[in-house]
Amino acid sequence: QVHLVQSGPEVKKPGASVKVSCKVSGFTFTNFGISWLRQAPGQGLEWMGWISAYDGNTNFAQKFQGRVTLTTDTSTTTAYMEMRTLRSDDTAVYYCASLSAGGDFDYWGQGTLVTVSS
Amino acid sequence: EIVMTQSPATLSVSPGERATLFCRTSQSVRGNLAWYQQRPGQAPRLLIYDASTRASGIPTRFSGSGSGTEFTLTISSLQSEDFAVFYCQHYNSWPPTWTFGQGTKVEI
C-alpha cells in the first residue's frame, strides 16, 4: 500500500520560509519522482516542481524557480519542499504526489495548509 | 507552453444522468493526457491516463477519449459521490513539466 504523509499545517509571516515534508512508504522511493503542487483557496491545481528521488535532478515551473528548493532523504524516504520569501498569495494547500511510469500523479499526500499572514 | 482549456466551467446534472466534460490543448499532446477528480477537502485522485485508460480501482462509468488537442471525459451515470471538480492534465517528458486545466465543477 502506497502512502504519502505530509507534515502539518503552518502559519508564517510574510518574508519567512517554510519547509514541508512528505514521507513516502509502500514503494521503492528511488524508482520514482516526486512532484509538488499547490492549490490556493477556491482555485485550481498548480504544478510547482519535480525531483527525481534517484539522482536528485529537479525541474521547476518558471514562477517558482529560485524561490523553491526540493530535496529528498533516501534514508528516511522523505521528500521536502522549502519555499522562501513567502507572500500572502502563497497561502495554499501544498501537495506532494508520486509519479507513475507514465508521468501521471498516481498517489497524493493529504495536503499541507500553509497560511501566510502578518 | 501548452495551455489547457476545460469546458464548461460548471456542469449542472442530476444523479443518473450522463456528464460530458471537455479539455482542449493549445497544441497537440497526442494521447498524453490525464483526468483527475477532486472532492471537497480531499486530494485529487487519478481517474484516467493516456487519454483513455482507467486508473486502478476507477469505476467503469468513467471513460476518456480523444487525441491531439480535443479530449473528453464521460461519466455515464452520475452517482452522488461523483459530484466534484475534474481537472485535465498534460505531462511533458523532458524537461518534465505538468500543466493543468482550470477545472470543471460537476454539481447537482
Side-chain angles (χ1 to χ4, degrees), chain A residues 1-6 22-34 77 96-101 104-110, chain B residues 43-44 56:
Chain A
Q1 190 85 344
V2 177
H3 290 287
L4 283 72
V5 179
Q6 298 182 224
C22 173
K23 166 71 175 174
V24 175
S25 62
F27 65 79
T28 304
F29 186 61
T30 51
N31 281 1
F32 300 94
I34 296 287
T77 64
C96 60
S98 65
L99 295 171
S100 70
D104 310 298
F105 302 124
D106 51 358
Y107 296 99
W108 295 68
Q110 82 276 19
Chain B
S56 176

Side-chain angles (χ1 to χ4, degrees), chain A residues 3 12 14 33 49 52 63 67-68 71 91-93:
Chain A
H3 290 287
K12 297 292 183 181
S52 166
K63 70 182 288 186
R67 200 160 69 96
V68 171
T71 55
T91 294
V93 176

Side-chain angles (χ1 to χ4, degrees), chain A:
Chain A
Q1 190 85 344
V2 177
H3 290 287
L4 283 72
V5 179
Q6 298 182 224
S7 49
E10 302 267 9
V11 179
K12 297 292 183 181
K13 293 194 183 301
S17 298
V18 69
K19 192 170 186 177
V20 178
S21 67
C22 173
K23 166 71 175 174
V24 175
S25 62
F27 65 79
T28 304
F29 186 61
T30 51
N31 281 1
F32 300 94
I34 296 287
S35 263
W36 289 85
L37 307 94
R38 74 178 186 181
Q39 187 169 39
Q43 302 302 307
L45 296 166
E46 181 176 33
W47 174 73
M48 300 174 62
W50 161 86
I51 182 166
S52 166
Y54 174 71
D55 60 11
N57 225 0
T58 56
N59 194 47
F60 296 91
Q62 191 169 4
K63 70 182 288 186
F64 298 105
Q65 189 82 39
R67 200 160 69 96
V68 171
T69 299
L70 301 182
T71 55
T72 59
D73 182 339
T74 55
S75 68
T76 60
T77 64
T78 302
Y80 297 92
M81 185 282 298
E82 181 176 29
M83 181 179 284
R84 298 172 292 279
T85 321
L86 289 167
R87 306 184 290 258
S88 57
D89 62 358
D90 291 319
T91 294
V93 176
Y94 289 77
Y95 292 102
C96 60
S98 65
L99 295 171
S100 70
D104 310 298
F105 302 124
D106 51 358
Y107 296 99
W108 295 68
Q110 82 276 19
T112 296
L113 175 62
V114 175
T115 303
V116 183
S117 173
S118 55

